Amino acid sequence: QERISQWHDQSSRYSTELRDFKNQVLGMLETAEKEREAMRSEAESAAVRVDRLEREVDYLETQNPAPPCVEVDETLMEKQVATAKQKKNEKYTKLTDCSDTIASVRAMKILKRFGSTSGVWTKDAAGTSEKIYVFDGTANDTVYVFPRMREFTLFSATRKAARIKLPYPWVGTGHLIYDGHLYYIRQQGPFQVIKFNLANKTVVDSSVFPAEEQIPVFGLSPFTYIEVAADEEGLWAIYATKEDEKNICLAKLDPTSLDIEQMWDTPCPRENAEAAFVVCGALHVVYNTRLPSRSRVQCVFDVSGTLAPEDASLVYFPKRYGSHSSMKYSPRERQIYAWDDGYQIIYRMEMKKKLEV
């Protein structure tokens, strides 16, 4: 009986201690929950403040853009003037009535992260196909083809995509899909532009680019020597030569024969350039820094002369991950397909008339 009584006393004491411990733990959990809610509120508040700060920075950069990155070289200007006098067909005759220019970036959409840090993804710049073409890396021979944007966004593996093996590997990120054909730069030998028919998987034509001692066209993208671009006017080639290694050159291409119709020496420097595209006959060069900062269009060269460089909008692109290895303008959709450190991004552009700039 004494042991039973002792057991009851110990059980009662243990029950009391257990109840006290349970109440203590509940109190600690309640306190931890309150502290977690407070920390969550502080984190959300900090995120709101950071987002507001980024919008303010974007606004300030828009209101106070950097000066155009164009060096005034009197010798170069005299040379260009003399060359212009010698050429009879210096002024470009526009093929369309396109008179728009970029006003700002209206929206940015990050689709996914796919492949290497450098590459190209794009649609057909001239056709109506919704296919997505993906070029992974700066030296390869296999193109991934997704039937629509939805499949490219949802599928994480390349096994869902069709594959096109090219007869020659490419180099750089200057490729372009235009009117059912792939235009790309052959990796080996002289800089040769290959025209590849996507329907019957054959090489239609090729042309050795008539520019001696070529150098990388963009200072921050040393793997690209020729950038093939398309706009409302047709096909263009953006390149650089040793003869004028400071600045970027532009040429108008015949998409049928790959012949060069006209060439220009632009005032846009190669230094700190990462990408470029053409809109309504105007070359837009995107600049950055070697320590990645905000990308911006800081030099515009209009071949028709209707848009003065000092009147062009210096467009800033929203925050990104690293540096653009490619930016492909779609004249049909008025948006840019960009590859940024392995992320595929769409920039939707706000346009306005050149005379209203």
Side-chain angles (χ1 to χ4, degrees):
Q1 290 179 349
E2 289 177 358
R3 287 197 297 269
I4 292 174
S5 178
Q6 184 181 3
W7 179 78
H8 280 297
D9 292 339
Q10 290 177 351
S11 298
S12 178
R13 186 171 67 252
Y14 290 154
S15 298
T16 302
E17 292 177 355
L18 181 61
R19 185 171 56 254
D20 293 341
F21 177 72
K22 180 180 178 181
N23 292 334
Q24 183 181 0
V25 170
L26 290 175
M28 294 173 63
L29 289 175
E30 185 177 355
T31 303
E33 183 66 23
K34 291 181 180 178
E35 292 179 352
R36 188 175 67 174
E37 288 296 329
M39 292 181 63
R40 183 186 294 114
S41 299
E42 290 179 2
E44 291 177 353
S45 177
V48 171
R49 291 197 299 270
V50 170
D51 185 63
R52 185 185 302 116
L53 177 61
E54 289 177 345
R55 290 199 303 268
E56 291 176 354
V57 169
D58 287 337
Y59 174 78
L60 290 175
E61 287 179 339
T62 303
Q63 297 300 314
N64 301 282
C69 185
V70 178
E71 296 181 4
V72 179
D73 189 336
E74 294 182 359
T75 305
L76 177 61
M77 290 179 62
E78 292 176 358
K79 179 181 177 181
Q80 290 178 342
V81 170
T83 304
K85 290 181 178 179
Q86 293 175 359
K87 293 182 179 180
K88 296 181 180 180
N89 191 27
E90 182 69 19
K91 187 172 179 59
Y92 176 73
T93 303
K94 295 190 66 175
L95 303 176
T96 69
D97 57 355
C98 181
S99 60
D100 293 335
T101 185
I102 297 176
S104 62
V105 177
R106 184 178 64 187
M108 177 186 76
K109 184 177 182 181
I110 302 174
L111 268 295
K112 63 185 300 183
R113 186 171 190 176
F114 176 93
S116 309
T117 56
S118 300
V120 176
W121 77 294
T122 185
K123 286 184 179 181
D124 191 323
T128 59
S129 174
E130 293 299 318
K131 291 182 179 180
I132 301 295
Y133 298 87
V134 180
F135 302 78
D136 185 17
T138 59
N140 207 332
D141 63 354
T142 302
V143 184
Y144 298 108
V145 184
F146 294 85
R148 287 177 299 275
M149 184 72 72
R150 181 176 180 273
E151 282 75 7
F152 174 66
T153 306
L154 295 179
F155 297 150
S156 58
T158 56
R159 65 176 181 272
K160 299 292 186 178
R163 302 189 183 195
I164 300 176
K165 189 173 180 59
L166 302 177
Y168 312 108
W170 73 70
V171 63
T173 58
H175 336 303
L176 178 74
I177 307 295
Y178 187 84
D179 195 21
H181 294 83
L182 163 61
Y183 297 82
Y184 72 99
I185 311 304
R186 184 174 178 177
Q187 185 178 13
Q188 298 176 345
F191 292 106
Q192 187 178 18
V193 181
I194 304 295
K195 182 180 179 181
F196 182 81
N197 189 301
L198 294 170
N200 55 28
K201 310 296 186 299
T202 58
V203 174
V204 178
D205 203 350
S206 65
S207 175
V208 176
F209 203 76
E212 298 180 358
E213 296 186 72
Q214 284 193 246
I215 55 178
V217 60
F218 307 123
L220 298 184
S221 302
F223 39 75
T224 298
Y225 285 78
I226 300 175
E227 173 81 22
V228 184
D231 73 340
E232 295 78 0
E233 291 285 297
L235 214 59
W236 305 82
I238 308 167
Y239 64 101
T241 64
K242 193 71 174 178
E243 182 181 0
D244 183 17
E245 61 180 352
K246 288 186 177 181
N247 296 334
I248 294 173
C249 300
L250 180 67
K252 184 70 172 64
L253 296 180
D254 184 340
T256 303
S257 63
L258 296 180
D259 292 337
I260 294 182
E261 300 176 347
Q262 199 166 341
M263 307 174 78
W264 296 267
D265 294 328
T266 79
C268 301
R270 293 176 53 250
E271 184 179 4
N272 291 332
E274 66 177 13
F277 50 90
V278 183
V279 178
C280 285
L283 173 68
H284 294 67
V285 184
V286 181
Y287 292 87
N288 205 323
T289 59
R290 295 195 179 275
L291 295 176
S293 179
R294 289 178 181 269
S295 296
R296 62 200 181 278
V297 174
Q298 200 168 322
C299 186
V300 179
F301 175 75
D302 188 358
V303 297
S304 64
T306 58
L307 177 63
E310 61 271 13
D311 294 333
S313 299
L314 302 183
V315 180
Y316 282 84
F317 291 91
K319 63 177 183 178
R320 319 145 354 274
Y321 298 93
S323 178
H324 294 111
S325 62
S326 65
M327 301 183 76
K328 296 298 179 182
Y329 172 69
S330 172
R332 176 166 55 95
E333 300 171 315
R334 294 295 178 93
Q335 60 188 21
I336 293 175
Y337 293 87
W339 191 295
D340 179 3
D341 198 26
Y343 290 88
Q344 289 72 49
I345 301 174
I346 292 178
Y347 294 111
R348 291 185 174 86
M349 314 307 293
E350 187 75 30
M351 312 297 286
K352 57 184 176 182
K353 298 298 180 183
K354 291 180 181 180
L355 299 178
E356 299 175 358
V357 174

